[in-house]
Amino acid sequence: MERHRGVDSSRSGVDGSGTARSGGGESGAAGARYLSRPGGRIAYTLDGSGPLVVLVPGMGDLRSTWRELTGPLVAAGYLVAATDLRGHGDSDPTFTVHGDVATGQDVLALVEHLNRGPAVLVGNSMGASAAAWAAAERPELVAGLVLVAPFLREPALGRAARASAHLLYRVLFARPWGAAVWGSYYRSALNKGAAAPWLGEHVAEIRASLRRPGRLRSFRQLTLQLTHEPVAARLAQIHAPAIAFVGDLDPDFKDPAAELDWISRTLAARGVLVPGVAHYPQHQAPDVVVPATLEHLAGLPRTGETWAVSRA
């Protein structure tokens, strides 16, 4: 593990040219494309050319959470697909199954659909959980991992505490106040410390999205269905080169530094402890996350315009 600028503790559709083409479904809001899946459609955008990088946001967030990283990735010569979770953003709210495994399956389906795999998967929060699961499930499709505030194991909660939490979610994320409650928590506790200059705009977009038909219901379903146990069970099967970022103010971890140390040891990953930020280092500290991510990607093996999967 490293505190920023420290030392690593361990190892650190598309046409034939790799340029985005128009296939893959009709266009939607803000240039969104759609991938058909059982139960609905997953929205994604596609920019750039080169080896494929897939960006996956966390629960209650939008693909625009990656705005500080997308441009530098494209400029560095990568094909970047940014997704919305099931029932989030421009993805359909018709899904009834949510969580790490469902999201991981959607990501793998997108990689196959684009026909440019393997891909490097970049995920935040439960999006990182899904990326880790995908790397274990289909290692031939995942060339590397960038994990930002990842949940790789289930918090230690008793049955009574879990039931109480679910009851609380049902109340907090109900209409008409649910969107405002989540937006307030996102802006305050989860973004404690340094904040992106566009955080207010982003939170307004999240609230507006959750007020769209079916989105708040989907978000509430996700909070009730989410478990990281399927990810924890597959950690020994993950061999993709990984880098992990954790903010030292992240309220989702009792001891962020200890959690990052465990992640680094478990995945033989490079760990970066980001000072003065909480759950969203990708936009709270892009000056840390962007160059470290580009460095990680530059060190991965490739064959021409595609990644080469490292074998353990």
Side-chain angles (χ1 to χ4, degrees):
M1 182 183 73
E2 66 185 64
R3 295 178 186 270
H4 178 51
R5 313 231 183 259
V7 180
D8 296 352
S9 62
S10 53
R11 70 164 167 89
S12 29
V14 181
D15 64 25
S17 68
T19 301
R21 56 178 167 80
S22 59
E26 68 275 22
S27 294
R33 300 160 182 247
Y34 293 96
L35 173 69
S36 293
R37 298 285 294 142
R41 301 174 305 162
I42 297 298
Y44 68 97
T45 54
L46 198 60
D47 297 286
S49 63
L52 179 61
V53 179
V54 180
L55 310 179
V56 190
M59 181 181 77
D61 210 348
L62 305 172
R63 63 182 186 269
S64 53
T65 192
W66 299 109
R67 69 179 70 183
E68 299 285 358
L69 184 59
T70 302
L73 286 172
V74 171
Y78 300 108
L79 176 64
V80 181
T83 68
D84 279 325
L85 298 181
R86 296 181 172 203
H88 289 56
D90 292 318
S91 293
D92 288 342
T94 51
F95 294 97
T96 58
V97 177
H98 303 270
D100 294 347
V101 173
T103 302
Q105 291 170 336
D106 293 339
V107 170
L108 292 172
L110 179 60
V111 173
E112 291 189 307
H113 171 74
L114 294 175
N115 196 31
R116 287 290 297 177
V120 170
L121 306 184
V122 182
N124 171 232
S125 193
M126 70 148 284
S129 313
W133 180 90
E137 179 71 7
R138 296 287 303 276
E140 77 280 8
L141 292 182
V142 181
L145 293 169
V146 179
L147 307 175
V148 184
F151 291 108
L152 301 184
R153 55 183 173 181
E154 191 70 9
L157 288 178
R159 181 176 300 179
R162 192 176 305 278
S164 296
H166 284 181
L167 179 60
L168 185 63
Y169 296 154
R170 291 180 186 275
V171 174
L172 288 178
F173 303 134
R175 294 174 64 90
W177 53 77
V181 169
W182 174 249
S184 178
Y185 184 66
Y186 185 104
R187 183 166 190 166
S188 56
L190 294 181
N191 274 278
K192 185 179 180 180
W198 44 265
L199 178 60
E201 171 193 340
H202 187 62
V203 171
E205 291 173 353
I206 291 172
R207 287 176 172 171
S209 176
L210 288 173
R211 292 187 178 108
R212 294 169 62 185
R215 266 65 179 187
L216 188 59
R217 181 190 66 242
S218 293
F219 175 61
R220 190 167 57 249
Q221 288 175 340
L222 172 56
T223 66
L224 297 174
Q225 295 178 21
L226 187 59
T227 172
H228 305 300
E229 291 176 356
V231 179
R234 305 292 298 274
L235 294 180
Q237 299 170 278
I238 298 172
H239 304 294
I243 183 171
F245 301 91
V246 172
D248 68 353
L249 302 179
D250 195 327
D252 281 325
F253 303 116
K254 182 178 180 180
D255 184 337
E259 188 69 14
L260 179 61
D261 182 65
W262 174 79
I263 292 168
S264 299
R265 288 185 286 103
T266 301
L267 298 184
R270 173 185 174 187
V272 181
L273 186 66
V274 188
V277 305
H279 200 59
Y280 302 104
Q282 71 270 20
H283 59 70
Q284 291 186 272
D287 59 316
V288 176
V289 174
V290 171
T293 297
L294 292 176
E295 180 185 7
H296 180 63
L297 269 58
L300 298 179
R302 67 175 76 180
T303 303
E305 289 292 294
T306 60
W307 301 110
V309 174
S310 298
R311 300 296 182 183

